[in-house]
Amino acid sequence: MKPFDRLRKLFGSIGRGEHRDGADDGMISCEEAKTRLFEFLDGELAEISHDEVERHVELCKACYPRLQFERHFLDALQAAEDRGTASPELKDRILKVLAKESANDSF
Amino acid sequence: MTSENEDTPAAAGGDSVHRVSFIEEAIPHMDAVYRFALRLTGTQDGAEDLVQDTFLRAYRAWDQYTPGTRCKSWLFTICRNVFLRQHERRQRHDEIVQETAQEDAASLSHEAPVFAASKDSDPEGAFFKSIVDEEILEAIDDLPNEYRMAVILSDLEDLSYNEIAEIMEIPVGTVKSRLFRGRRQLQKRLHGYAVEMGYISGTVGDQ
Ligand SMILES: [Zn+2]
């Protein structure tokens, strides 16, 4: 799953520190953080890269809302997914088709 | 199933093993395939036909399925292929996608025009929460095919970039660029909707 919950916790306590644009403390730049933001939220970054982004957004006043923005967007998509299921009739129909197919296959 | 076995001559032979393993491994994913099909076709009837075709095709190809790999991804691949074959005549959108998909995913991911547009009134995008599900799904449905596919697989079905790459038969870099472009396009539309509905102040349009 995507690391939203962990982030949410994290940002409850810290978050709006000083905006430090770039390289002190070896922090990645805003540009760098922005570039990796989706991959970060999708849980697709390698550990080191993930930690770099995490550390940046924790401390950067400019990137924090950006992260929140993307997160609210992705949450809304996930929440919109209807948990629709195939009807029992469809399941029946398909099982019958498969049974027929088996019958045909073996003479 | 017992009664079916008795009715079906094939079930007595070696074929029943084939069928039983298919029923055990593939059939449980029918709901997920149905949801995917529903988003692709937009109608319940269309989705049901697509699901049936998908499972029939999958059943015929069951020998080619590698046990232990993700069955769900495998079924999605078939579902997508069947869908595309049925809709070959409606591929205009894809041509547009082909032209733009070359761009570097990284350069796409950080341009967020909607974020910039709503920065003053709603910097953290809380307005997304006010938008009704139907509007969101409709916006997804209206995306060009290949963006739509990437967004559905990632953001609704929660598959990884690698899985999506396999299903769509494209490199991971292309998955990213299509996904990110699709998301930006969605944001733009949802932002427009939110402004229209008065959830947020601002102007519609204007990238
Ligand atoms: Zn920053």
Side-chain angles (χ1 to χ4, degrees), chain A residues 1-2 16 31 35 38-39 42 44 69-70 72-73 77-78 81-82 84 86 93 101-102 106, chain B residues 10 19 30-31 35 49 52 59-60 109-110 124 154-158 161 176 180 183-184 187:
Chain A
M1 272 291 165
K2 301 179 177 181
R16 295 141 192 278
E31 214 43 41
T35 303
F38 272 147
E39 287 160 284
D42 291 336
E44 294 273 355
F69 175 87
E70 304 295 8
H72 281 138
F73 166 67
L77 298 191
Q78 193 118 75
E81 166 67 320
D82 44 26
R93 194 170 102 195
E101 179 76 8
S102 298
S106 33
Chain B
R19 182 149 147 250
M30 199 184 289
D31 289 340
R35 285 196 297 268
D49 289 345
Q52 181 172 327
Y59 185 66
R60 287 175 181 158
S109 62
H110 66 266
E124 297 185 1
S154 169
D155 297 339
L156 302 185
E157 293 300 330
D158 213 22
Y161 295 170
K176 285 188 217 172
F180 298 168
R183 284 173 177 175
R184 291 287 176 246
Q187 288 179 344

Side-chain angles (χ1 to χ4, degrees), chain A residues 19 29-30 33 56 60 62-63:
Chain A
H19 173 35
S29 67
C30 288
H56 180 96
C60 178
C63 290

